[in-house]
Amino acid sequence: MSARTLAIHPNGAAAASAAPAAAPVTAKKNRDWVKVVGVCAFAAMLCYLDRTNISTAIVPMAEQFGWDKQFCGAVLSAFFAGYGATQVLGGQWSDKYGGSAVLAGGLALWSVATALTPFAAAWGTMPLLAARTLLGMGQGVAFPAMHALLAKHVPHKVRSGAIGIIMACAHCGTALGFGASPAIIDAMGWGWTYYLFGGAALLWLPFWLNMGRKKAQAAAKAAAAAAAQQAQQLQQRAAAASAHIMHSGGSAWSQAGNMAAATAGAAALCSGAAVADAVMPTVRDTPAGTSRSAHPLLDAIEQQHDQQQQHAARLQQRAAATATPSSSSSSKQDSSSSNPNVGFWPLMRRKEVWAIAIAQYTAGWGFYGLLAWLPSFFIEHCGLQLTQLGAFTLAPYLLQAVVGASAGILADNLIVQRNWGIRDVRVLMQVAGMLGPAACLFAAASPLSAHSPYLATGLITVAMGMSALTCSGVSASHLDIAPRHAGVVFGVGNTAGTLAGLVAVPGLGYVLQHTGNWSIAFGLAAAHNVVGAALWAKWVGDRPLPEDGGEPEGEMKLKAA
């Protein structure tokens, strides 16, 4: 707290002087969201790095252990069983307790599961499936936790860009996994892809610890600034009281001097509620049944001050409930739980939430199916060798990262600078991000691209790049329609996408096992994209739903602007 001084002038007037320190704190706080996005982006990169290495490693694993495609599909899909089991739970925990600890716990779990996967594969089928399930459970809480952090700390006008950056880093993790895995397998063996990628979590830990320390320091500085402002207000009231007493005359002069001295000491040594207790010792210690002070004006001033404090406390509670929709304050939780029309189950009855779930499910067919079987596609359909996979599987995900980040910035620009409607932007990005890949997948699996890895890579690269446009569609919609329940609504959508992976990965394995036809496999994914795009365009929402518990202040300001 900065020092405060109170001087009693010869004419009895008191002057309070203070050096304001709130502006630098506010400016620094306005940049804190960048650190949150950075920590989330790094975690997203590790998330996709650890989930994609098996897509390449499973080729030599299948040769060593004698697995067929159907069993490979079961191993790959075990991840989705765990991933889907913790999506909604992770969202609920994040909305209630905050996303930082939930994200750290999930990352620790999936990193350990990744490092133990080679041992589990050697021990047998059940340990391997358990390791894959634990990997999914740890990663299942990650993105709901990230989106709860975004809803709490990131300004609305840059949220699409923040999501785009996070998903771009996730796709960089995929690119790194596909690009580095063949070289690691060739040089050190397939087991080292798990040891190295799982151990990469240690690189993330210092950034997470630094984010927590910075948040605690910012909260302490904000509390100190609030206490300093309260002390200054009390000094000004005490100065006004002493000046009035001096002009009025009477024996109350000594009380005014005591009060001024006490106020100066309180401002220098006390903070928070202790200031109010230290300001007027001669007033608070009067016997019961007597006047609270020797001068009636002091009674009026203190009564007015108490009323203003109570009013300020009510305003502060309302502001806290609006500014931190993901906080775990008891007042917000009690309000939500007491209203049967607000919360998880009422939101689940809205078509806007179902638009998110269906879009995630239909897009998940192509995304997760392609993610799992892309190396096998290049080897079998295009005739590549394992050592060549890195160059051909890297490009699609690098383009996906670039497009995802650019799409977020473009979406924010269209909404904030060009006054496009939120719904129009979400429809444009999602429909383009589903119909474009559908056409490319049809072409990539056609006879045209057979034994032509460059054409197949080009088509798949375009498909993956266009699919990243959905980062500013479905991946941002839950922040539009349910900012107070962003974590759990994202968990619902991601659960639907996980269900698609749980069905698509073994389903495509079954199709390939019995037909060997990649056109059928990719055609199924493309058909899902078409259906999802149509339902999204019809049902998507663009404003906070009543079932979310009210429209936050930030949303109203954005619309007013």
Side-chain angles (χ1 to χ4, degrees):
M1 182 187 304
S2 57
R4 303 286 198 258
T5 58
L6 183 68
I8 306 296
H9 294 281
N11 61 359
S17 63
V25 175
T26 302
K28 190 172 186 299
K29 182 179 179 181
N30 290 338
R31 297 193 299 269
D32 287 345
W33 66 269
V34 178
K35 300 173 184 175
V36 173
V37 173
V39 170
C40 291
F42 194 176
M45 185 183 72
L46 295 176
C47 180
Y48 274 70
L49 179 69
D50 288 347
R51 78 167 64 171
T52 56
N53 63 334
I54 195 173
S55 296
T56 303
I58 202 167
V59 176
M61 291 173 72
E63 293 177 358
Q64 178 176 336
F65 296 109
W67 299 339
D68 59 19
K69 277 192 171 55
Q70 197 163 346
F71 183 79
C72 289
V75 172
L76 293 170
S77 63
F79 164 85
F80 297 102
Y83 194 63
T86 56
Q87 289 286 328
V88 175
L89 186 61
Q92 290 174 334
W93 283 348
S94 300
D95 287 338
K96 186 174 183 181
Y97 302 112
S100 180
V102 175
L103 177 59
L107 192 144
L109 177 60
W110 91 58
S111 299
V112 171
T114 299
L116 291 179
T117 298
F119 300 101
W123 292 336
T125 299
M126 293 308 298
L128 175 61
L129 296 178
R132 292 288 298 167
T133 302
L134 287 175
L135 171 68
M137 292 178 69
Q139 295 199 359
V141 304
F143 282 94
M146 292 179 201
H147 284 262
L149 284 169
L150 295 182
K152 183 175 181 180
H153 297 288
V154 177
H156 187 280
K157 65 181 181 180
V158 294
R159 283 180 182 171
S160 294
I163 294 171
I165 290 171
I166 291 172
M167 293 309 300
C169 288
H171 299 316
C172 284
T174 303
L176 180 60
F178 277 125
S181 292
I184 294 173
I185 293 171
D186 186 55
M188 306 169 68
W190 60 265
W192 280 95
T193 62
Y194 296 97
Y195 305 144
L196 295 176
F197 293 173
L202 297 175
L203 302 175
W204 177 83
L205 185 60
F207 295 96
W208 177 74
L209 293 174
N210 182 64
M211 180 186 72
R213 187 177 73 251
K214 294 295 185 182
K215 287 167 62 178
Q217 291 175 350
K221 289 181 179 180
Q229 184 179 11
Q230 184 183 30
Q232 184 179 8
Q233 292 173 349
L234 291 174
Q235 288 174 352
Q236 292 171 350
R237 289 188 176 90
S242 64
H244 182 85
I245 293 172
M246 187 270 180
H247 289 298
S248 301
S251 60
W253 168 251
S254 61
Q255 290 186 2
N258 291 337
M259 179 176 62
T263 303
L269 301 174
C270 302
S271 63
V275 175
D277 294 331
V279 168
M280 296 184 180
T282 60
V283 173
R284 298 186 183 276
D285 297 337
T286 54
T290 63
S291 174
R292 295 178 63 183
S293 71
H295 199 285
L297 179 59
L298 289 178
D299 288 338
I301 290 175
E302 187 174 2
Q303 182 178 6
Q304 181 185 19
H305 168 64
D306 291 341
Q307 292 174 351
Q308 290 177 347
Q309 273 194 320
Q310 294 172 2
H311 180 64
R314 289 194 295 269
L315 291 178
Q316 188 175 15
Q317 290 176 354
R318 294 175 186 172
T322 300
T324 58
S326 301
S327 68
S328 57
S329 62
S330 59
S331 59
K332 189 200 82 169
Q333 296 296 333
D334 293 342
S335 174
S336 298
S337 60
S338 62
N339 188 346
N341 296 319
V342 173
F344 174 74
W345 290 113
L347 283 168
M348 285 301 298
R349 294 193 290 267
R350 295 298 302 241
K351 68 179 187 299
E352 294 86 351
V353 176
W354 279 97
I356 293 175
I358 292 174
Q360 291 278 68
Y361 178 85
T362 52
W365 252 86
F367 178 75
Y368 290 124
L370 193 60
L371 191 69
W373 293 106
L374 187 59
S376 299
F377 170 76
F378 279 120
I379 291 174
E380 296 181 7
H381 186 73
C382 302
L384 295 180
Q385 300 298 317
L386 179 64
T387 55
Q388 298 175 290
L389 285 180
F392 287 92
T393 56
L394 188 64
Y397 296 102
L398 287 178
L399 180 62
Q400 199 172 36
V402 173
V403 173
S406 302
I409 297 172
L410 174 62
D412 285 335
N413 181 268
L414 291 175
I415 294 170
V416 178
Q417 301 296 331
R418 301 183 181 276
N419 295 320
W420 278 44
I422 292 176
R423 189 181 191 281
D424 295 335
V425 173
R426 302 298 182 230
V427 169
L428 172 66
M429 294 295 182
Q430 187 68 27
V431 171
M434 296 185 80
L435 295 186
C440 291
L441 289 178
F442 271 124
S446 69
L448 283 174
S449 64
H451 306 293
S452 177
Y454 294 101
L455 177 58
T457 299
L459 290 169
I460 291 177
T461 298
V462 173
M464 298 296 283
M466 294 192 69
S467 71
L469 294 172
T470 63
C471 293
S472 298
V474 68
S475 296
S477 183
H478 57 285
L479 296 175
D480 299 329
I481 67 171
R484 295 177 185 271
H485 296 82
V488 69
V489 172
F490 182 86
V492 169
N494 229 25
T495 299
T498 303
L499 180 61
L502 187 63
V503 175
V505 174
L508 293 178
Y510 180 85
V511 169
L512 295 172
Q513 179 74 23
H514 290 83
T515 69
N517 192 323
W518 285 96
S519 296
I520 296 176
F522 279 29
L524 287 172
H528 277 77
N529 274 16
V530 173
V531 173
L535 291 176
W536 172 264
K538 185 176 181 180
W539 288 350
V540 62
D542 62 350
R543 65 191 62 192
L545 299 173
E547 292 81 358
D548 186 48
E551 186 177 69
E553 182 181 356
E555 305 288 343
M556 294 187 289
K557 287 183 178 179
L558 179 66
K559 292 177 183 178

